[in-house]
Amino acid sequence: MTIDMKWIASIASLTFLLGLAAGATEAQEEAPRIRVAYVAPERVHSQSKDPGIIFQDLFDQPPQDYFEYNPAGGSFVWNGNAGYGGGGAMRCEFAVGQVEAGSLRVLFGRNPVGKGIRSTETFREIYWRVYVKHETGWKGNPAKFARATCLAAPNWSQGFIAHVWGGKGDSLCIDPATGITGNLRVTDRYNDFAHLRWIGSRQTETPLFSPSESDRWVCVESHIRLNSPDRNDGVFELWIDGHKEASRTDLDWHGTWNEFAINAVFLENYWNAGSVKRQARSFDNFVIATHPIGPIVASNLPTLSRTPGGNSTWEAQAASDPDGMDVVWSSRPVDGAKTELVIAPETGAFAGSRAGKRDLASAGLTWLRLREKRGSNGWSAWTSWHSFFRTTAQQRL
């Protein structure tokens, strides 16, 4: 009997390729498809009496108190039903190929324009936070997202800019730039790229703009602290859903120049190459403060809502830390037709630091993750820990 070695090699090659395809299919099916869309807030918390709050907009009404609002011909408008857990939000809709789709600009502190909020104060350190949701099937990285800056002249020449904008792939990055050399401002107009000096970007990890992360509210918080005169100790940090994903602590924002400090934060919808299709995103819960802001506040027995899609059985877990080292509650399997779940003893079991308890710890932070069952393939991988929230200070008995 003659053995055809070419035939055996072909079969082996085909088997190998089929194995790769099966592995790819299995890996693809293992990837989780659902996320926590949002956690129902306990109530609206007014922070207007907190002296650390510079500006706050929960978008219960159309934009007010902004230095500039650009609706871009109706592309960026208030919607009374598009907000986090219901209520109002700013909704931006890009048309195919659209570049400029609107912005909101807050002016505060000492500034050369002579307008804005608390215009006699100097702010050398701020935090800003906003929630953003990209509609189902969002595609592409829209480049501009937000920035904190120093307007240093009436023509908007800038002393420095803390850019939060599109990084590699589907992620954000921080990209600081300065218009100061020594003790002199060298910029002479807004976005004076010819004279700006870029001082070191950092990438984030969460693929914020990928389809898998669409249709859920994501908390984005940034922190900027100016450097001591002529020292490289300035700070620029970014958290996504309570995970610090980008950080610089060695920046020289402004040399010894100190005519103005941080005095503006802009939310932006500007897609350099134009949107790849018609698609929309929404902004809510926008806050600028002198201290860390953190997430929304929910009850100690909160309700989570998951993203739509599929009707597979699913499960949820809660942890008291962003890495899931202390899992404090695990649900029982949930019918795939249900998209809401109360974190409670009746729906799961408390564990870890909450073992034997009947609710989440008061005034604590909690992160969530999900997984779903795929028929005969078993359970999918867990999602990353996301959709974090703070519980109320009053604990239930």
Side-chain angles (χ1 to χ4, degrees), residues 45-116:
H45 289 263
S46 174
Q47 296 171 298
S48 59
K49 294 182 180 180
D50 180 351
I53 300 296
I54 302 169
F55 176 85
Q56 174 177 289
D57 196 346
L58 302 179
F59 297 113
D60 295 326
Q61 56 189 349
Q64 298 181 8
D65 301 324
Y66 287 90
F67 173 54
E68 283 195 353
Y69 163 44
N70 174 17
S75 295
F76 191 37
V77 295
W78 181 77
N79 185 307
N81 300 305
Y84 184 104
M90 290 299 296
R91 184 175 185 273
C92 169
E93 182 170 323
F94 284 93
V96 178
Q98 185 172 356
V99 173
E100 172 60 74
S103 61
L104 290 169
R105 291 170 172 169
V106 182
L107 185 67
F108 56 90
R110 289 194 311 109
N111 66 81
V113 181
K115 298 180 180 179

Side-chain angles (χ1 to χ4, degrees), residues 65 206 218 242 392:
D65 301 324
T206 299
V218 182
T392 55

Side-chain angles (χ1 to χ4, degrees), residues 101-318:
S103 61
L104 290 169
R105 291 170 172 169
V106 182
L107 185 67
F108 56 90
R110 289 194 311 109
N111 66 81
V113 181
K115 298 180 180 179
I117 301 164
R118 296 166 66 169
S119 59
T120 62
E121 300 180 50
T122 297
F123 295 97
R124 296 186 55 81
E125 180 176 22
I126 69 160
Y127 293 76
W128 65 258
R129 182 209 72 191
V130 70
Y131 276 80
V132 62
K133 182 176 79 169
H134 297 83
E135 73 175 6
T136 303
W138 178 276
K139 184 177 181 180
N141 190 324
K144 305 299 188 293
F145 184 80
R147 70 185 70 192
T149 191
C150 168
L151 299 184
N155 69 351
W156 286 33
S157 298
Q158 291 155 289
F160 48 83
I161 316 170
H163 298 99
V164 176
W165 56 14
K168 297 177 182 178
D170 290 321
S171 300
L172 288 170
C173 75
I174 58 174
D175 201 358
T178 180
I180 305 299
T181 299
N183 65 347
L184 297 175
R185 174 175 54 84
V186 296
T187 53
D188 57 21
R189 61 185 177 85
Y190 184 71
N191 276 349
D192 188 358
F193 295 120
H195 295 107
L196 285 172
R197 178 165 50 90
W198 302 90
I199 52 181
S201 66
R202 292 291 185 272
Q203 286 289 130
T204 63
E205 300 173 5
T206 299
L208 182 66
F209 307 115
S210 69
S212 64
E213 299 298 327
S214 62
D215 210 32
R216 76 177 186 90
W217 286 101
V218 182
C219 179
V220 180
E221 183 164 348
S222 182
H223 171 218
I224 304 97
R225 187 179 71 223
L226 301 186
N227 56 284
S228 307
D230 212 22
R231 293 185 61 182
N232 296 352
D233 60 359
V235 172
F236 190 6
E237 301 173 305
L238 185 70
W239 292 262
I240 297 180
D241 276 340
H243 299 263
K244 185 188 287 189
E245 296 199 3
S247 177
R248 290 293 304 271
T249 59
D250 57 351
L251 297 175
D252 180 2
W253 287 108
H254 61 86
T256 58
W257 180 88
N258 63 357
E259 188 173 350
F260 296 102
I262 310 165
N263 55 27
V265 173
F266 301 164
L267 295 182
E268 302 172 306
N269 298 289
Y270 191 95
W271 201 317
N272 295 26
S275 178
V276 296
K277 64 175 185 174
R278 188 226 63 81
Q279 52 192 342
R281 67 180 179 184
S282 299
F283 295 94
D284 201 358
N285 293 298
F286 179 30
V287 181
I288 305 169
T290 59
H291 54 64
I293 301 163
I296 60 97
V297 176
S299 76
N300 298 60
L301 296 172
T303 299
L304 67 89
S305 293
R306 69 166 177 84
T307 56
N311 56 2
S312 303
T313 301
W314 56 285
E315 291 181 337
Q317 285 188 330

